[in-house]
Amino acid sequence: ETGVTQTPRHLVMGMTNKKSLKCEQHLGHNAMYWYKQSAKKPLELMFVYNFKEQTENNSVPSRFSPECPNSSHLFLHLHTLQPEDSALYLCASSQSTGMSALHFGNGTRLTVT
Amino acid sequence: RKEVEQDPGPFNVPEGATVAFNCTYSNSASQSFFWYRQDCRKEPKLLMSVYSSGNEDGRFTAQLNRASQYISLLIRDSKLSDSATYLCVVNPSSGDKLTFGTGTRLAVRP
């Protein structure tokens, strides 16, 4: 149903692992985002890409590395994560940045052991 | 003061009740406003944008009060299916960063 698809839905990884989250949007949007949602906290913006150029890095630790090869695909590469990085990671897209509403994927629930 | 602030609730109301949530924002230059709905363990979904003149979509009415820097969401004739967390979202400037509130939880009981 959603025009934004995220894989995997669930991921368990150790602190020494390297993994990647994938997001694809089929809405023809120009902007893509990564958000982090932890329990009892508001959604935290991590990265913004507009026309596949990164326009926002919200002081995210370097163990999170985004990649946007084109306007339809967005990756989040993970390495040497910490247990406190366990959260729901949501990808979103919008027609343009700022004024446009966001369309979210169904998220990847990440557990770091 | 938080950029976007909401009462976390929960609001427990019977079916058929009218319920209203407010959300305050700190930046008077904020330009766009939205209400999102998030069901348990699901992604947020856009409920409605909030326009300066106020807007209505069926049982839902959204209003913006720039002078007092808050937006509101009114739900009439609550249904069981309205049970969810309602997220207030504000663009505090003309840039990229939509800011989310922590959400207000609504539980509608039979």
Side-chain angles (χ1 to χ4, degrees):
Chain A
E1 184 253 16
T2 178
V4 181
T5 306
Q6 282 186 250
T7 55
R9 291 292 304 273
H10 301 273
L11 178 62
V12 179
M13 60 186 288
M15 289 190 281
T16 58
N17 291 159
K18 289 185 181 181
K19 296 285 183 185
S20 296
L21 309 186
K22 180 183 174 183
C23 177
E24 184 175 359
Q25 59 99 358
H26 311 277
L27 300 168
H29 287 166
N30 298 312
M32 295 189 78
Y33 310 75
W34 281 115
Y35 279 87
K36 175 183 178 182
Q37 188 173 35
S38 305
K40 302 196 186 300
K41 287 187 176 181
L43 266 78
E44 299 171 53
L45 178 66
M46 299 176 73
F47 301 104
V48 181
Y49 279 82
N50 196 24
F51 293 96
K52 72 178 185 175
E53 297 296 322
Q54 188 180 122
T55 57
E56 179 92 24
N57 176 338
N58 201 25
S59 303
V60 181
S62 59
R63 57 186 185 268
F64 295 92
S65 173
E67 178 191 358
C68 188
N70 54 60
S71 294
S72 299
H73 293 86
L74 186 63
F75 296 90
L76 188 63
H77 304 300
L78 315 171
H79 64 98
T80 59
L81 294 193
Q82 305 297 312
E84 61 265 28
D85 295 323
S86 299
L88 180 67
Y89 288 85
L90 289 158
C91 173
S93 70
S94 64
Q95 184 59 48
S96 60
T97 57
M99 306 288 280
S100 302
L102 298 171
H103 295 255
F104 284 90
N106 44 28
T108 295
R109 189 158 295 280
L110 173 67
T111 303
V112 182
T113 60
Chain B
R1 184 180 174 183
K2 291 181 183 175
E3 284 187 88
V4 178
E5 200 149 4
Q6 295 182 252
D7 180 343
F11 285 62
N12 290 297
V13 302
E15 269 187 293
T18 295
V19 61
F21 313 132
N22 281 347
C23 165
T24 57
Y25 59 94
S26 60
N27 188 335
S28 59
S30 297
Q31 299 194 11
S32 51
F33 309 87
F34 307 90
W35 283 103
Y36 281 72
R37 170 199 169 123
Q38 186 171 24
D39 292 290
C40 188
R41 305 189 76 81
K42 296 280 185 78
E43 75 277 16
K45 291 186 179 177
L46 178 67
L47 180 64
M48 57 199 302
S49 302
V50 186
Y51 302 123
S52 297
S53 54
N55 47 301
E56 192 174 302
D57 183 1
R59 299 181 292 108
F60 298 85
T61 301
Q63 296 209 304
L64 167 64
N65 185 317
R66 283 197 183 274
S68 301
Q69 292 181 211
Y70 73 87
I71 64 172
S72 63
L73 178 68
L74 180 80
I75 305 175
R76 287 181 298 278
D77 188 24
S78 300
K79 312 289 185 194
L80 295 175
S81 56
D82 293 335
S83 298
T85 297
Y86 291 84
L87 303 170
C88 169
V89 184
V90 175
N91 181 9
S93 68
S94 59
D96 300 339
K97 195 175 172 180
L98 287 177
T99 302
F100 284 73
T102 50
T104 297
R105 216 172 111 229
L106 171 66
V108 181
R109 63 181 188 271

